[in-house]
Amino acid sequence: MLLRTFGWSLGITAVGLAFAAWVWGWEGFAVVAILSVLEISLSFDNAVVNASILKKMNAFWQKIFLTVGVLIAVFGMRLVFPVVIVAITAKLGPIEAVDLAINNKDHYQELVTAAHPAIAAFGGMFLLMIFLDFIFEEREHAWLAWLERPLAKLGKLDMLSVTIALIALIITATTFATDVAHDGGDKASTVLLSGIAGLVTYLIVGGLSGHFENKLEEEEEAEAEAEKAGRPSAVGLAGKAAFFLFLYLEVLDASFSFDGVIGAFAITNDIFWMALGLGIGAMYVRSLTVYLVRKGTLDDYVYLEHGAHYAIGALAVILLVTIKYEINEVVTGLVGVFLIAASFWSSVVRNRREEAEDEGGSGSDEKTEISV
């Protein structure tokens, strides 16, 4: 099971590190290895959230996630995305931006850093919406019941998540986005536009995936009752539902990748080292996602999903705060690890308690039978 799930990741690691050592020497080897560890440590919560979505897909779409999805993650987010951001913010052509990334790495890093407020606002709002929609939804299991149950009741109010997210964006734009531009001005308008773009992206992609997922469920219920002539095929709807869930996963991964890409500049400004190191880390995140799905870990440890979503909420806040203040990537990673570890331990305690109750219940039943 482990070898089948993580085989590709281990193979890519061996090839990637060997390539780095051959082309760039031991320095390149060390930097690529460090970046791989950085990406894995920052993205464990990403894997848990991905697993909660991926388990709704069939085996075919899980393979698509591991193949096409990896290509998008590695080449799209880790290599192309920083270049595109520089091209847009610096008003350069794509070829000029690539030339800058290769031949003038220090200036390239400065331009990426200057684009951080826009990146953080977009990713922060997208992740904040994921957290708010989770926390305002009524669920069978509540990890922090004293907080989650009252919020689930409040969640019955229409558009509450969007309202809170917009308030958070306005506060961010009028506080953290002031006096962050290199020219002495502020980036309030940039943060507002980018944040709204992140919100709209979430509403479109999340709305479409949810719509087709609901239609699929309705279709399956209808099939269980009777066959109806002229009804669309459930397979077709499954394809649409899975496609938009896949698209949702990729946007989610992109939002999670922002801190990793920006944090990587603290280690190197060579885009090829970054792409290779972060790409290797992304492979493990995807393999871990599939492993969690196939092992049914989320079903066995019911609070893991809660911990991951709290980590998403924390990352959203951190991204918005980093528009003005620098926060070490180690802190970002440790927050996510702590929340997931706490939710995992709570799940273990719950499982042990339920097992003890079941054993106690069966023991009393046996005593009753003997006495009779």
Side-chain angles (χ1 to χ4, degrees):
M1 174 69 178
L2 279 172
L3 185 59
R4 185 178 66 180
T5 306
F6 288 90
W8 274 101
S9 298
L10 294 170
I12 293 294
T13 302
V15 173
L17 291 177
F19 178 81
W22 177 52
V23 177
W24 301 303
W26 289 112
E27 182 185 1
F29 174 90
V31 171
V32 169
I34 291 169
L35 288 171
S36 302
V37 174
L38 171 70
E39 178 69 10
I40 295 169
S41 63
L42 289 176
S43 301
F44 187 80
D45 48 355
N46 188 7
V48 177
V49 176
N50 284 352
S52 68
I53 300 168
L54 196 66
K55 68 180 181 180
K56 302 173 185 177
M57 299 181 181
N58 58 26
F60 170 77
W61 279 98
Q62 289 180 12
K63 288 179 181 177
I64 292 293
F65 177 73
L66 273 175
T67 52
V68 178
V70 165
L71 292 176
I72 294 173
V74 174
F75 295 102
M77 281 307 301
R78 275 75 180 180
L79 182 60
V80 177
F81 171 74
V83 175
V84 170
I85 287 296
V86 167
I88 293 173
T89 55
K91 298 179 181 178
L92 299 173
I95 296 176
E96 290 178 281
V98 171
D99 180 68
L100 188 68
I102 296 173
N103 298 317
N104 195 344
K105 296 173 184 176
D106 291 335
H107 185 46
Y108 171 78
Q109 180 180 348
E110 289 176 5
L111 292 175
V112 173
T113 303
H116 177 70
I119 298 170
F122 181 95
M125 289 301 293
F126 188 90
L127 295 176
L128 182 61
M129 281 298 300
I130 293 173
F131 169 71
L132 291 175
D133 276 353
F134 178 87
I135 203 69
F136 285 135
E137 185 178 344
E138 194 168 352
R139 298 180 180 279
E140 180 183 357
H141 303 288
W143 180 30
L144 306 178
W146 58 271
L147 175 65
E148 293 173 17
R149 283 174 181 157
L151 290 178
K153 292 179 181 177
L154 281 176
K156 295 177 181 178
L157 297 173
D158 290 339
M159 304 299 288
L160 182 61
S161 297
V162 176
T163 303
I164 292 177
L166 286 173
I167 291 172
L169 178 60
I170 291 170
I171 292 173
T172 300
T174 54
T175 54
F176 301 137
T178 56
D179 300 325
V180 297
H182 292 296
D183 57 4
D186 62 56
K187 288 198 172 183
S189 58
T190 300
V191 167
L192 278 173
L193 287 174
S194 300
I196 290 172
L199 176 61
V200 170
T201 301
Y202 173 83
L203 292 175
I204 292 174
V205 178
L208 285 173
S209 62
H211 168 72
F212 283 107
E213 188 181 354
N214 291 336
K215 290 205 71 174
L216 175 59
E217 290 175 1
E218 292 171 6
E219 202 65 30
E220 288 173 345
E221 290 174 4
E223 278 184 355
E225 295 174 2
E227 285 288 328
K228 294 182 181 179
R231 187 187 57 208
S233 134
V235 175
L237 286 173
K240 290 179 183 177
F243 171 76
F244 282 105
L245 281 175
F246 172 75
L247 186 60
Y248 178 80
L249 271 175
E250 290 307 313
V251 179
L252 178 63
D253 176 74
S255 299
F256 269 105
S257 301
F258 292 148
D259 61 329
V261 172
I262 298 300
F265 279 104
I267 298 170
T268 180
N269 53 14
D270 189 305
I271 60 168
F272 298 110
W273 291 9
M274 287 173 56
L276 185 56
L278 297 179
I280 290 173
M283 284 292 299
Y284 281 96
V285 173
R286 270 159 168 67
S287 295
L288 180 59
T289 298
V290 173
Y291 179 79
L292 292 173
V293 172
R294 291 176 179 169
K295 288 287 288 183
T297 305
L298 296 183
D299 296 327
D300 295 335
Y301 302 96
V302 295
Y303 300 138
L304 260 183
E305 191 175 354
H306 294 72
H309 278 85
Y310 280 107
I312 285 178
L315 179 57
V317 173
I318 287 171
L319 276 173
L320 295 177
V321 171
T322 57
I323 290 174
K324 186 169 186 178
Y325 301 104
E326 184 176 347
I327 297 179
N328 193 288
E329 290 75 26
V330 174
V331 174
T332 305
L334 287 178
V335 168
V337 170
F338 171 78
L339 288 168
I340 290 176
S343 63
F344 176 78
W345 177 247
S346 297
S347 301
V348 171
V349 171
R350 171 190 175 275
N351 292 344
R352 288 177 179 173
R353 184 175 62 246
E354 288 198 342
E355 286 174 7
E357 289 174 357
D358 290 342
E359 288 174 3
S362 62
S364 13
D365 290 342
E366 287 173 7
K367 288 179 183 177
T368 304
E369 288 175 6
I370 291 171
S371 64
V372 172

